[in-house]
C-alpha cells in the first residue's frame, strides 16, 4: 500500500543503530525499543518494522519518507537492497 516501500520490507540493523550517536539516532532508537517492548522481541540483531512506521518516523525527523530512507542507508541502519540485510532475499 505504500509507494515508498511497496516491494521491500524495512529491516533495521539493531547493531548499527546502537553504535550511532544518540543526538542523530536517538528518536529512531527509542521508536525501535518501543516496538521491541510491544512485541517482547529483544533477541534479534534485526527488527522488521511496518511501512507505516517509516511515515511516522519521517514526520519525527521532519523529512520525506524517501529522504529518511536515504539517511537510514547512509547510517547503515538499513541496506540499499533491504532484503539482503538478513540474507534471505532472493527473487
Ligand atoms: P496489534 O497491531 O493489534 O497486532 C496484534 C498482533 O497481530 C501482533 O502481536 C502480531 O502478532 C500480529 N500482527 C499485526 N500486524 C502484523 C504484521 O504486519 N506482521 C506480522 N508479522 N504480525 C502482525 P505483537 O507482535 O505481539 O504486537 C503487539 C502490539 O504491539 C501490536 O498490536 C501493536 O499495537 C504493537 N506493535 C508491534 N509491532 C509494531 C510495529 O512494528 N509497529 C507498530 N506501529 N506497532 C507495533
Ligand atoms: P526466522 O525467525 O528463522 O524467520 C524466517 C522467516 O519465517 C521470516 O523471514 C518470515 O518470513 C517467517 N516468519 C518467522 N516468524 C514470523 C512471524 O512471527 N510472523 C510472520 N508473518 N512471519 C514469520 P524474514 O521476515 O525475511 O526474516 C528472516 C530472518 O530475519 C528471521 O529468521 C529472523 O532471524 C530475522 N528477523 C527478521 N525480522 C525480525 C524481527 O523483527 N525480530 C527478530 N528478532 N528477528 C527478525
Ligand atoms: P508492514 O505492515 O509494512 O509490516 C512489515 C513487517 O514488519 C512485517 O512483515 C513484520 O515482519 C513486521 N511487523 C509489523 N507489524 C508487526 C507486529 O505487530 N508484530 C510483529 N511481530 N511484527 C510486525 P510480514 O509479517 O511479512 O507482513 C507483511 C505485510 O503484510 C505487512 O507489512 C502488512 O501490510 C501485512 N500484514 C501482515 N500481518 C498483518 C496483520 O495482522 N494485520 C494487518 N493489518 N496487516 C498485516
Amino acid at each position: 500500500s505504500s509507494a515508498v516501500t511497496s516491494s521491500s520490507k524495512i529491516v533495521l540493523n539493531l547493531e548499527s543503530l546502537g553504535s550511532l550517536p544518540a543526538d542523530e539516532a536517538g528518536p529512531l532508537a527509542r521508536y525501535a525499543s518501543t516496538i521491541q517492548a510491544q512485541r517482547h522481541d529483544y533477541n534479534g540483531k534485526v527488527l522488521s518494522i511496518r511501512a507505516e512506521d517509516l511515515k511516522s518516523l519521517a514526520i519525527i525527523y521532519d523529512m520525506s519518507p524517501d529522504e529518511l530512507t536515504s539517511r537510514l542507508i547512509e547510517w547503515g541502519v538499513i541496506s540499499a537492497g533491504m532484503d539482503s540485510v538478513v540474507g534471505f532475499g532472493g527473487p
Side-chain angles (χ1 to χ4, degrees), residues 14-68:
L14 297 176
E15 289 177 336
S16 300
L17 181 57
S19 65
L20 288 168
D23 60 336
E24 288 190 294
L28 174 62
R30 285 194 294 277
Y31 203 104
S33 296
T34 301
I35 290 172
Q36 284 183 289
Q38 288 174 318
R39 294 183 191 168
H40 308 286
D41 179 7
Y42 301 106
N43 295 323
K45 292 182 176 174
V46 298
L47 184 73
S48 301
I49 65 165
R50 296 181 187 176
E52 201 60 37
D53 291 328
L54 186 73
K55 295 184 188 172
S56 301
L57 282 163
I59 292 167
I60 291 168
Y61 277 95
D62 195 20
M63 294 176 185
S64 71
D66 283 343
E67 287 170 329
L68 180 59

